[in-house]
């Protein structure tokens, strides 16, 4: 095993040297989570568009297939990893090394897990089913998991729980997010700041009232509506000037 | 002086290299080839991602029979999947879970899993490695949270050793747990029934068996396709919905009303010992199943075209079919000590009652 690793490392070093620059830039993508402009956190009370008061308990999602699109239309794969992010523990960050950002004009991120991965048995790391972002009985990943409590929820414990997943047509729920490539690049470090405005889950494209839909725990039409809304949650981070 | 130092370092390095090469050699798990019985299709399980090894199989077998996988340490996989019933829940229509809960389906027999493209009666699980997560994480079955199980295993010295022997280092994670259990389950190949011996030219059918085979090929084999005795499709066989269980079968997975009350075609190998029958265990005997096919089935729009009408089966034909189905019993599989709980000889008698 050890020798195998050593050899692999050597090979990587050699081929890396021969091929030049690949994998040299380190990227850091930070996502700041909000609800109606206020930082998202566990013990705060928020109101959605429909006047439903809610507390958050879980807010986790996958980012994958991070790509750059160049001015000439070429797509560069920046990272083929899957990252599990948490919106309730302060700014969430993704770090990886990838090819140079020179010439990239937009950034594309898949919200969710790659369809192929859903058929390949058990994964490790962020994709380990032990992370709780997985359905066994109808095999597939939960791309986005949002849960909390609200008096509007007609369920035990007034819980609402949106497990957004499903990769088989017609109920596909992974989404491609596109952002202008606005990065802070110093030498070989590229930093990108995004924001997530979670109130949009309830109203961005489809009206989701907790009173009407308190749970989504399987692939299907509701998961698709929620996925459409979740895709609108993300945008470039615009630091707000403090309110007067 | 300087030269001597360099030599020292070089020879030290060389020794270290040799030692680690020896260690690598020593710890490499012993490969076990997977034999495909003559005339059978290629398995669908990807053995390249999880090559069978003696150590991996042994670990899987230990895990399969260890109650450590359940929350209140009362159940192992082997409690519901028992060898004398071809690894089904012998004599129980619905499997009993942790804290006396009853799960809503009949535990299927387990064998020839390397050929099975999807698991559960509704096909909802798409990879064998994942199957153990269903009972370990479902409230109706083992109930234990996966992380708790992993912690219990990690604290256990002999499991750390066994994982190291099987996978090269003592890391215990979900993936390795699944792979080890799969390795054991993949060895559960049933290919040595009287039927197989006849097909290999080592035995001959009696007349009733031969007539039974002819009826089978005509009326049953489209769905229960030899040599695996299933085509792994999902079909509505005209079984009415159990109002208490409310199980819509394949439709639970696809959401399509066309799949209402469709269930995976079960293999019929070892069928004489794997009673009760049907996804909810509603048939207590083969006779109940025959009565269903010839009398009781209720055709609805989703019912398979082959079963729009009840099957014409005389008592005489049923006798012959039964003789044929009997030839599918694989005694060497049912009594193979390699499949029994580790360190335990095969028990020939089923426990009278397995309730507690």
């Amino acid at each position: 095993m050890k020798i195998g690793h050593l050899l692999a490392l050597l090979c990587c070093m050699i081929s890396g040297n021969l091929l030049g620059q690949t994998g040299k830039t380190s990227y850091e993508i930070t996502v700041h989570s909000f609800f109606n402009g206020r930082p998202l956190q566990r013990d705060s009370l928020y109101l959605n568009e429909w006047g439903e008061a809610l507390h958050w308990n879980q807010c986790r999602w996958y980012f994958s297939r991070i790509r750059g699109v160049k001015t000439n239309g070429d797509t560069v794969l920046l990272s083929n990893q899957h990252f599990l992010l948490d919106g309730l523990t302060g700014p969430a960050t993704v770090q990886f090394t990838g090819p140079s950002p020179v010439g990239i004009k937009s950034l594309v991120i898949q919200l969710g897990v790659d369809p192929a991965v859903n058929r390949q048995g058990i994964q490790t790391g962020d994709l380990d089913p032990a992370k709780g972002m997985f359905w066994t009985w109808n095999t597939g990943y939960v791309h986005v998991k949002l849960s909390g409590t609200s008096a509007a929820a007609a369920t035990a414990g007034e819980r609402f729980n949106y497990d957004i997943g499903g990769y088989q047509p017609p109920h596909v729920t992974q989404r491609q997010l596109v952002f202008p490539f606005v990065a802070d690049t110093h030498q070989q470090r590229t930093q990108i700041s995004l924001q997530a405005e979670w109130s949009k889950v309830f109203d961005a494209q489809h009206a989701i009232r907790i009173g009407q839909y308190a749970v989504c725990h399987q692939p299907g039409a509701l998961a698709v509506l929620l996925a459409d809304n979740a895709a609108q949650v993300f945008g470039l981070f615009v630091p707000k000037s403090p309110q007067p | 002086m300087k030269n001597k130092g360099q030599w020292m370092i070089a020879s030290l390095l060389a020794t270290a290299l040799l030692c680690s090469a020896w260690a690598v050699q020593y710890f490499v798990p012993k490969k076990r080839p997977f034999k495909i019985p003559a005339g059978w299709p290629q398995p669908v399980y990807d053995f390249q991602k999880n090559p069978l090894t003696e150590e991996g199989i042994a670990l899987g077998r230990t895990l399969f029979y260890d109650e450590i996988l359940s929350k209140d340490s009362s159940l192992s996989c082997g409690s519901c999947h028992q060898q004398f019933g071809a690894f089904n829940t012998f004599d129980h229509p619905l499997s009993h879970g942790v804290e006396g809960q009853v799960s809503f389906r009949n535990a299927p027999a387990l064998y020839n899993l390397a050929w099975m493209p999807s698991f559960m009666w509704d096909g909802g699980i798409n990879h064998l490695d994942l199957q153990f997560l269903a009972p370990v994480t479902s409230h109706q079955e083992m109930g234990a949270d996966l992380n708790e199980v992993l912690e219990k295993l990690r604290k256990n010295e002999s499991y750390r050793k066994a994982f190291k022997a099987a996978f090269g280092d003592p890391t215990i994670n979900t993936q390795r747990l699944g792979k080890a259990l799969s390795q054991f389950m993949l060895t559960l190949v049933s290919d040595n029934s009287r039927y197989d011996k006849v097909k290999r030219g080592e035995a001959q059918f009696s007349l009733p068996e031969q007539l039974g085979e002819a009826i089978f090929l005509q009326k049953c084999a489209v769905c229960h396709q030899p040599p695996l005795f299933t085509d792994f499709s999902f079909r509505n066989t005209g079984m009415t919905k159990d109002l208490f269980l409310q199980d819509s079968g394949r439709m639970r997975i696809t959401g399509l009303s066309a799949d209402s009350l469709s269930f995976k075609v079960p293999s019929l190998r070892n069928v004489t010992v794997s009673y009760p029958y049907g996804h909810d265990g509603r048939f207590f005997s083969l006779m109940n199943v025959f009565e269903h096919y010839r009398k009781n089935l209720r055709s609805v729009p989703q019912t398979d075209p082959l079963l729009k009408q009840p099957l014409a089966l005389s008592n005489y034909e049923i006798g012959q079919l039964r003789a044929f189905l009997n030839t599918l019993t694989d005694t060497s599989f049912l009594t193979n000590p390699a499949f029994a709980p580790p360190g335990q000889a095969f028990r020939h008698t089923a426990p009278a009652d397995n309730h507690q």
Side-chain angles (χ1 to χ4, degrees), chain A residues 74-154:
Chain A
D74 286 354
T75 300
V76 221
L77 185 64
L78 300 178
S79 166
N80 60 2
Q81 280 170 271
H82 283 81
F83 302 95
L84 178 57
L85 292 88
D86 190 329
L88 282 166
T89 50
T93 56
V94 162
Q95 288 174 326
F96 57 91
T97 52
S100 150
V102 172
I104 291 179
K105 81 170 195 306
S106 51
L107 176 73
V108 185
I109 301 179
Q110 178 166 261
L111 176 61
V113 172
D114 243 27
V117 177
N118 291 284
R119 305 172 201 268
Q120 291 165 356
I122 304 176
Q123 313 297 315
T124 54
D126 276 2
L127 289 169
D128 189 326
K131 300 276 180 195
M133 299 285 287
F134 193 73
W135 289 312
T136 305
W137 65 278
N138 188 349
T139 306
Y141 281 91
V142 171
H143 304 310
V144 182
K145 186 175 181 71
L146 309 171
S147 73
T149 51
S150 166

Side-chain angles (χ1 to χ4, degrees), chain B residues 306-342:
Chain B
L306 293 169
L307 297 172
K308 282 289 181 212
Q309 302 294 324
L311 295 176
L313 288 173
S314 67
N315 287 346
Y316 196 61
E317 287 174 309
I318 284 179
Q320 292 165 342
L321 266 178
R322 196 192 282 279
F324 173 69
L325 293 179
N326 267 330
T327 70
L328 299 177
T329 303
D330 180 350
T331 317
S332 59
F333 172 77
L334 297 171
T335 58
N336 187 340
F339 304 151

Side-chain angles (χ1 to χ4, degrees), chain B residues 88-100:
Chain B
N88 83 332
T89 302
F90 187 81
D91 206 13
H92 275 295
L94 301 171
S95 307
H96 294 225
V98 173
E99 289 148 15

